[in-house]
Amino acid sequence: MNIVSSAQSLLFDFHNSVTTQPIRGKTSKTKWCPPPQGFVKINFDAATFRDREGIGAGGIARDDRGNCLAWRTGFFGGLREAELGKAVELELKFGWERCVVEGDCLQVIRKLNSHECDFSSTGPIIADVHINICEFRTISFMHVNRLANSTAHMIARQAFDNAGRIIPPAFLYEAITADNPF
């Protein structure tokens, strides 16, 4: 058996051992809604800047009560889809076992849900995310409307000014409060 066949066989076995399950629950086309009880919802996004060369990526994780558990932002040079993958990758390292991951870039969500090998420039990042999902009991990647992903988008838009910041900026508190249905 040659190396390519062996690698494809191992990848096939890996994808069959890790399942992504759709989560049934509240859905909203225009507003963020909390995940099912006991789950964490991770929203991610990326933003481009006209006056700067680079991409802002952002992600936020919230519990079933809408409380912010973590947020991340970064400013990168590179492809939009690659940076969306990086935003997901950052948030997946916290060790939660049951997650719903949402983003408004349908192409990235399709790649995250795919079990096919991705040979595009974003393929290695998507593969890294697939490796990290082994640690979850349940994970679901879902596409949402931009309005339901607005807080992650705001974080991505502020990436240049807030990259590496530890204390959440004021706009984040306001956005979380506005999103919270409780």
Side-chain angles (χ1 to χ4, degrees):
M1 190 183 269
N2 66 32
I3 294 173
V4 173
S5 296
S6 295
Q8 288 174 332
S9 176
L10 288 171
L11 185 62
F12 179 78
D13 291 344
F14 166 75
H15 284 301
N16 287 335
S17 69
V18 176
T19 59
T20 56
Q21 303 170 0
I23 305 300
R24 304 285 181 232
K26 299 178 186 176
T27 59
S28 172
K29 293 185 178 182
T30 60
K31 188 172 177 167
W32 182 87
C33 62
Q37 187 173 0
F39 281 74
V40 171
K41 182 177 279 187
I42 300 167
N43 289 84
F44 68 95
D45 202 3
T48 57
F49 301 91
R50 291 180 192 188
D51 57 339
R52 297 178 179 101
E53 289 192 26
I55 305 292
I60 182 168
R62 293 183 265 193
D63 65 14
D64 54 25
R65 301 287 303 157
N67 299 312
C68 179
L69 302 175
W71 67 283
R72 290 282 191 270
T73 189
F75 186 78
F76 308 92
L79 300 170
R80 177 176 167 79
E81 292 136 354
E83 303 319 327
L84 284 170
K86 278 286 192 197
V88 173
E89 198 175 72
L90 286 172
E91 294 298 331
L92 291 179
K93 294 188 176 182
F94 279 94
W96 297 301
E97 292 183 337
R98 298 161 54 172
C99 290
V100 177
V101 180
E102 292 181 339
D104 58 30
C105 182
L106 184 58
Q107 184 177 7
V108 171
I109 296 298
R110 284 183 176 154
K111 287 181 177 193
L112 290 168
N113 281 318
S114 175
H115 294 294
E116 295 181 15
C117 198
D118 182 356
F119 295 105
S120 73
S121 58
T122 61
I125 293 167
I126 300 297
D128 285 348
V129 171
H130 284 160
I131 289 168
N132 286 327
I133 66 174
C134 292
E135 299 169 22
F136 293 88
R137 281 197 305 176
T138 307
I139 190 165
S140 175
F141 297 99
M142 300 175 70
H143 177 257
V144 293
N145 181 293
R146 173 163 285 185
L147 294 173
N149 203 41
S150 61
T151 301
H153 183 71
M154 290 169 73
I155 295 169
R157 291 289 316 148
Q158 298 292 322
F160 186 77
D161 296 325
N162 292 297
R165 186 174 180 160
I166 297 171
I167 299 170
F171 80 85
L172 188 55
Y173 290 113
E174 295 166 11
I176 292 167
T177 302
D179 272 350
N180 200 331
F182 299 105

